[in-house]
Amino acid sequence: MKGIILAGGTGTRLHPITIGTSKQLLPVGDKPMIYYPLSVLMLAGVRDILLITNPADTARFTALLGDGSHLGLRLTYAEQDTPRGIADAILIGAEHIGDGPVALILGDNIFHGTSFSETLAANARDVRGCVLFGYPVNDPQRYGVGETDADGVLVGLQEKPERPRSNRAITGLYLYDNDVVDIAKNLRPSARGELEITDVNRVYLERGLARLVDLGRGFAWLDTGTPESLLQAGQYVRTLEERQGVRIACLEEIALRLGLIDADACHRLGSRMAASGYGQYVISIAAELR
């Protein structure tokens, strides 16, 4: 399975913070926001990842993440010159996707929870159709919403409905089989001129090939697109890390535990950041797992 992270856009809801930098490079806790979606793809077993940015930020992401080889990954980059909807990422990444399945994640989404890696791996193993991840929210009018029947089967999708028939927001993580490329190519733009990901998901729903995985108790899903939600995400991460003594979305630790790098390589990566608490944590994990 290939992976795509959509980290374009201009972050207008965060102005003036994002006038001079990408939203996905802002700190959440002690690490850049982009670490969180990248960690999700790593936990899902994805090793070949395309990062889509706007042209002004490509060099910054490259300086931060390089080609991914230090983490046992293959990272490549593509540019989205203007926001054209989430589904546009499928068109930009069509060549990258090739003839296999793809995991698409938004660059400002944070996921965390008990057994999340197991949930990801199980659902990414053999994707037929599309797999969506739903999360209960108090304000479903702000989101795409998944409607399920009494047995929990997905039966309907609504995009920012005035009268939502469910409180399950569709999160910014999507798993698709290879048909998604042709589906995206045949989409009609919305009234806003964008290619809506909900329209992609509706095609799968009409084919009977859309599945909703309910992320309920024990999980957290955070969308960091506003100053308030960005602050809340930072507070959530800081609280958990201070109480549990572990780092969320520590890429070096994930790579080590997955066997993508060895303890010596992990130690070297931590040593480059030894003046920071994050770097000291990476060094300690390398020592622990030697």
Side-chain angles (χ1 to χ4, degrees):
M1 173 178 280
K2 300 293 183 66
I4 295 177
I5 303 176
L6 181 56
T10 55
T12 53
R13 291 184 296 167
L14 284 165
H15 280 181
I17 303 172
T18 50
I19 290 177
T21 189
S22 166
K23 171 175 61 175
Q24 291 83 10
L25 291 174
L26 296 177
V28 178
D30 61 356
K31 61 194 74 70
M33 187 188 299
I34 195 65
Y35 274 37
Y36 296 88
L38 181 53
S39 72
V40 170
L41 294 185
M42 292 174 69
L43 291 170
V46 180
R47 306 290 177 258
D48 192 346
I49 298 166
L50 177 68
L51 182 59
I52 298 176
T53 75
N54 66 50
D57 296 316
T58 303
R60 299 185 181 101
F61 281 103
T62 304
L64 175 66
L65 298 170
D67 64 1
S69 58
H70 61 293
L71 297 170
L73 305 174
R74 180 177 184 267
L75 292 180
T76 52
Y77 300 86
E79 295 178 350
Q80 185 186 51
D81 55 1
T82 186
R84 287 185 292 270
I86 297 173
D88 186 50
I90 301 297
L91 300 184
I92 294 173
E95 184 176 346
H96 169 74
I97 295 169
D99 58 1
V102 62
L104 169 64
I105 189 169
L106 304 187
D108 61 358
N109 275 215
I110 295 175
F111 295 84
H112 181 256
T114 305
S115 302
F116 186 48
S117 58
E118 290 84 353
T119 299
L120 284 174
N123 285 284
R125 193 169 295 122
D126 184 20
V127 178
R128 297 179 182 180
C130 79
V131 180
L132 309 176
F133 294 84
Y135 189 82
V137 295
N138 293 323
D139 49 353
Q141 298 88 348
R142 293 179 52 214
Y143 305 95
V145 174
E147 180 188 2
T148 58
D149 63 17
D151 296 321
V153 177
L154 185 65
V155 296
L157 290 165
Q158 298 175 283
E159 180 63 27
K160 298 181 180 178
E162 292 184 8
R163 296 181 176 83
R165 295 191 292 268
S166 165
N167 71 335
R168 289 181 179 86
I170 303 299
T171 68
L173 172 62
Y174 318 87
L175 307 180
Y176 296 110
D177 65 15
N178 196 253
D179 287 347
V180 73
V181 176
D182 286 334
I183 291 172
K185 287 179 179 178
N186 288 292
L187 282 185
R188 291 184 178 180
S190 68
R192 297 182 299 174
E194 297 184 353
L195 299 178
E196 302 288 353
I197 200 68
T198 299
D199 291 337
V200 171
N201 298 335
R202 283 199 184 103
V203 173
Y204 280 107
L205 180 62
E206 291 167 0
R207 295 178 180 179
L209 293 173
R211 185 160 55 89
L212 182 68
V213 176
D214 200 6
L215 300 179
R217 293 185 179 183
F219 287 92
W221 170 56
L222 305 167
D223 176 352
T224 55
T226 66
E228 295 78 15
S229 60
L230 181 63
L231 178 61
Q232 290 169 0
Q235 291 171 334
Y236 174 85
V237 170
R238 179 179 178 183
T239 299
L240 279 183
E241 292 185 343
E242 287 185 349
R243 290 184 178 179
Q244 298 180 358
V246 298
R247 289 293 201 282
I248 299 172
C250 176
L251 302 181
E252 296 81 3
E253 179 180 7
I254 293 170
L256 177 58
R257 292 189 183 276
L258 291 176
L260 303 179
I261 60 174
D262 60 24
D264 289 339
C266 185
H267 186 275
R268 288 193 296 272
L269 293 174
S271 297
R272 298 174 187 174
M273 304 176 283
S276 69
Y278 182 91
Q280 288 295 323
Y281 176 80
V282 173
I283 291 171
S284 70
I285 290 297
E288 176 188 330
L289 298 180
R290 266 199 170 113

